[in-house]
Amino acid sequence: MTQLPSDPIYERLQNLRVCLAAHVRLSPQTYRGERWYVLADEARSRFMRIDSRAYSAIGRFNGRTTLNDVLNLVQRTDSSFSDQEMAGLVLQLANFDALRDPLPDDVRALTDNGKSALGKNLINPLALRFRLLDPDQFLDIAMPWVQPLFSRPAALFWILSLLVAAFMGVTQLNTLAAAINSSLLAPSNLALGLVIFAVMKVLHEFAHAFAVKRWGGEVHEMGISFLVLMPIPYVDASASWVFRNKYRRALVGAVGIFVELWIAAVALIVFFVVEPGMVRSAALTAFLVGGVSTLFINGNPLLRFDGYYVLQDLAELPNLSSRASRYIVYLMKRYLLGIDSAQSPVTATGERKWLLGYGISAAIYRLFILVGIGLFLASKYLAVGVVLVTWVVGLQIVLPLCRAGWFIIRDKQISGRRSSVIARAIALPAIVIALLAYVPVNRTTSVEGVVWLPEQAQLYAKSTGTIDKVLVTEGQHIDVGTPILQLVNADLEPRKRVLEARLGELDVRHQTNLFGNRSAADVTKEERKSVVAQLNMINEKISALTVKSQHAGKVAFDYHRIVEGNHINLGDLIAYTIVPSDYIVRSVVRQRDIGRVRGGVNKIEVLLAENLGRRLPATILRETPSGDTQLPSRALARAGGGTIDTDPGDRASLQSSRQVFNIDLALEHQTLAGGLGGRAHVRFTHSPEPLLSQWHERLRQLLLRHLSV
């Protein structure tokens, strides 16, 4: 017995007799043991994947049987196939121009054909696309010349180039970082960068096209797409969808990445071997374009670019993005709104985890990337950045919420219990918001530090000189006042003799004038005081040439500095006198976190690198009232394995790019650390605060950092 249709669109379609167009053919493929089909429109070089459930209906589209009869036939073997799915399938085929006869005018408006190309593009800020030409004839002519690049020797050469570039980059990382920091946004490099970007992207897209031709496909579309307002070329390589071998399909998607990585590798090699100039600047720009854009955009499977299609084919997950979105919607309908009739897009074992993980990760990453680009643009061009961020928030958050609300209000699936569904849709988000707004959650600040010594254990030079002799050995236990270093300064003794002679002369003159000229005697007396002060200062410097310990303990030198014959300046750090019980932890707090730390700390825990499994309680000894850019140890810089960004021009990696604050901590239970300078992980625990309040502060700091508002 035929059931009355529940979908208003299906009511208009149910008596139609549809048939696939003659230019459309179906090719079977197997994913995870399940049969899928590629619908190929060879006349327009367009392709679409459908699953076996959709094929069970399409296979009965013969132009004689009504859609209602087809639905009844399908439901005999698959009772879950709904009239909504049938309506959606027909509209999808009509939008694909896969039907022999057009739909009625009142139904045609419901397909995407009723939308303008501009309207379609505005839905996705990552997919503005405009077709320009058909490159297939050119590809046929050039293919014999390109064919050798699809060979094992070419692959080995590609791998060797990347290895050489990686070795040079790692061994000269500071030089590379300094160059990037100084020229990344230099106005003189922008025009050059745009030209290199355009050339590399053209080569990238032609690589896709030649890979399709290599295995018998055709490429009939090439044009311009816009990635966050940046024009880049594209080719339609969807002909590879009909390839039976999944590795060939994956290679078509990956070959553009391979080309850009090879260009980036060669550019990096050129950057290190040529002298500064135009060629070196061009090489650095090519490296950044080929490396950064590949890692974060083209090669990232969370965005629907090359990396996505490679993952889709290798993991055998057809239509991954759309099915992941549908699976998230299914979970919300099934478990949030309680719609038992909701249909899962899962078709094979093991897909649930993939669809759930990808759906959530891709949505978050896409939002993160777009907002990040928007904030970057806003820091340079405020109006453009604000428009982009508003656009992203509207499309990624507001529009889905509006669609969800429209579904709850209008959809007939919940017509019998709409009130309870609306109540649940309101109550659950309200509960979540209330929890976020009012339930306090532990708040922590995590920073890094180093095992350090108090100031009295650090011995600094009080005079300038050259090391004549080291009087103690490394690790020797010394007492207070023990001489440890002898310096020499050839200028001090002659200056002392000159001052002593001058002092004697002034004494004689003072005695002569004392009885004959009192005013001259007073002048001589003041001049004598000045010479005595200078002589005392010289004597102090001569005395300080013998460097003595001010603290008992084991002596530790800086091996690179404390070598006989080396020059020592006033104020240079010479040695440490180490007593393990005197160890402290010097933590480095970023400027964005110092206000929270100063606002109140309930507990401090330290994890030493030598024993990360043990949390050591600590207390604050002292903190610097003002910020500084000098790091206590290279271990805290990224170049030394830490998390602090440093000035690329500082080869020692001790100057941070932003101000930091030093906070010295005392361990409550003194523990022998692995050694001076060892890394420590510090966690400050603050008073609990609701998550919404914490997120608000983070957002405010983000805006302050990028927009200065």
Side-chain angles (χ1 to χ4, degrees), residues 392-466:
V392 170
V393 171
L395 292 178
Q396 301 294 322
I397 298 177
V398 177
L399 184 59
L401 290 176
C402 292
R403 287 175 174 172
W406 184 255
F407 170 80
I408 293 173
I409 295 173
R410 302 286 297 178
D411 198 272
K412 291 189 176 182
Q413 292 185 58
I414 55 177
S415 57
R417 46 194 176 84
R418 195 176 308 278
S419 298
S420 63
V421 171
I422 292 176
R424 184 181 296 185
I426 294 175
L428 291 178
I431 292 173
V432 172
I433 293 174
L435 292 174
L436 294 175
Y438 297 106
V439 176
V441 177
N442 284 336
R443 192 181 190 194
T444 61
T445 301
S446 296
V447 302
E448 287 189 345
V450 289
V451 177
W452 209 241
L453 287 171
E455 293 298 329
Q456 62 267 26
Q458 302 175 34
L459 186 60
Y460 295 91
K462 295 182 178 180
S463 183
T464 300
T466 302

Side-chain angles (χ1 to χ4, degrees), residues 170-178 448 450 588 629-658 660 679:
V170 170
T171 55
Q172 303 182 62
L173 186 60
N174 288 338
T175 301
L176 178 62
E448 287 189 345
V450 289
V588 175
T629 58
Q630 182 71 25
L631 297 178
S633 171
R634 189 173 184 269
L636 299 175
R638 289 196 184 277
T643 59
I644 305 294
D645 293 321
T646 54
D647 183 354
D650 176 26
R651 294 188 176 183
S653 298
L654 290 175
Q655 292 291 328
S656 64
S657 57
R658 296 176 181 269
V660 294
R679 185 178 284 110

Side-chain angles (χ1 to χ4, degrees), residues 661-675:
F661 296 78
N662 294 328
I663 296 182
D664 290 343
L665 307 173
L667 301 177
E668 293 183 359
H669 305 293
Q670 287 293 348
T671 303
L672 182 63

Side-chain angles (χ1 to χ4, degrees), residues 250-263:
L251 186 57
V252 170
V255 69
I257 298 174
F258 294 163
V259 167
E260 287 202 32
L261 286 178
W262 183 79
I263 294 175

Side-chain angles (χ1 to χ4, degrees), residues 161-421:
S161 300
L162 261 65
L163 290 176
V164 172
F167 175 78
M168 296 179 72
V170 170
T171 55
Q172 303 182 62
L173 186 60
N174 288 338
T175 301
L176 178 62
I180 292 174
N181 186 69
S182 62
S183 63
L184 179 59
L185 293 176
S188 59
N189 289 337
L190 290 179
L192 178 63
L194 290 175
V195 173
I196 292 174
F197 179 85
V199 172
M200 289 184 66
K201 293 305 176 183
V202 168
L203 295 175
H204 173 114
E205 296 304 323
F206 269 112
H208 290 307
F210 282 117
V212 173
K213 298 294 290 185
R214 169 66 177 78
W215 288 293
E218 296 184 353
V219 180
H220 292 286
E221 181 177 336
M222 189 172 189
I224 296 292
S225 63
F226 287 84
L227 175 61
V228 195
L229 308 182
M230 174 66 72
I232 59 174
Y234 81 92
V235 296
D236 182 0
S238 58
S240 63
W241 288 11
V242 299
F243 296 166
R244 293 292 185 89
N245 189 314
K246 70 176 183 180
Y247 297 107
R248 290 182 177 179
R249 296 196 303 268
L251 186 57
V252 170
V255 69
I257 298 174
F258 294 163
V259 167
E260 287 202 32
L261 286 178
W262 183 79
I263 294 175
V266 173
L268 186 61
I269 295 172
V270 171
F271 169 80
F272 285 122
V273 299
V274 301
E275 295 296 325
M278 178 67 73
V279 174
R280 197 168 193 255
S281 298
L284 179 62
T285 303
F287 165 73
L288 292 175
V289 172
V292 175
S293 67
T294 295
L295 291 176
F296 292 99
I297 304 296
N298 279 323
N300 193 317
L302 297 178
L303 297 175
R304 292 194 64 175
F305 296 112
D306 298 346
Y308 164 78
Y309 294 104
V310 173
L311 173 65
Q312 180 178 254
D313 287 318
L314 294 180
E316 299 186 7
L317 294 164
N319 302 340
L320 174 58
S321 180
S322 60
R323 289 202 299 142
S325 300
R326 285 163 48 203
Y327 186 65
I328 299 297
V329 173
Y330 157 76
L331 292 177
M332 296 177 64
K333 288 182 178 179
R334 179 70 177 81
Y335 299 103
L336 182 62
L337 302 180
I339 302 175
D340 296 333
S341 60
Q343 296 295 318
S344 171
V346 174
T347 61
T349 303
E351 284 190 341
R352 285 183 175 83
K353 294 180 180 179
W354 276 98
L355 297 181
L356 178 61
Y358 186 87
I360 295 175
S361 301
I364 294 174
Y365 185 78
R366 184 165 56 246
L367 186 63
F368 170 79
I369 285 291
L370 289 173
V371 170
I373 294 175
L375 289 175
F376 174 77
L377 290 175
S379 65
K380 306 296 180 182
Y381 315 100
L382 182 61
V384 175
V386 170
V387 169
L388 179 60
V389 171
T390 304
W391 183 14
V392 170
V393 171
L395 292 178
Q396 301 294 322
I397 298 177
V398 177
L399 184 59
L401 290 176
C402 292
R403 287 175 174 172
W406 184 255
F407 170 80
I408 293 173
I409 295 173
R410 302 286 297 178
D411 198 272
K412 291 189 176 182
Q413 292 185 58
I414 55 177
S415 57
R417 46 194 176 84
R418 195 176 308 278
S419 298
S420 63
V421 171

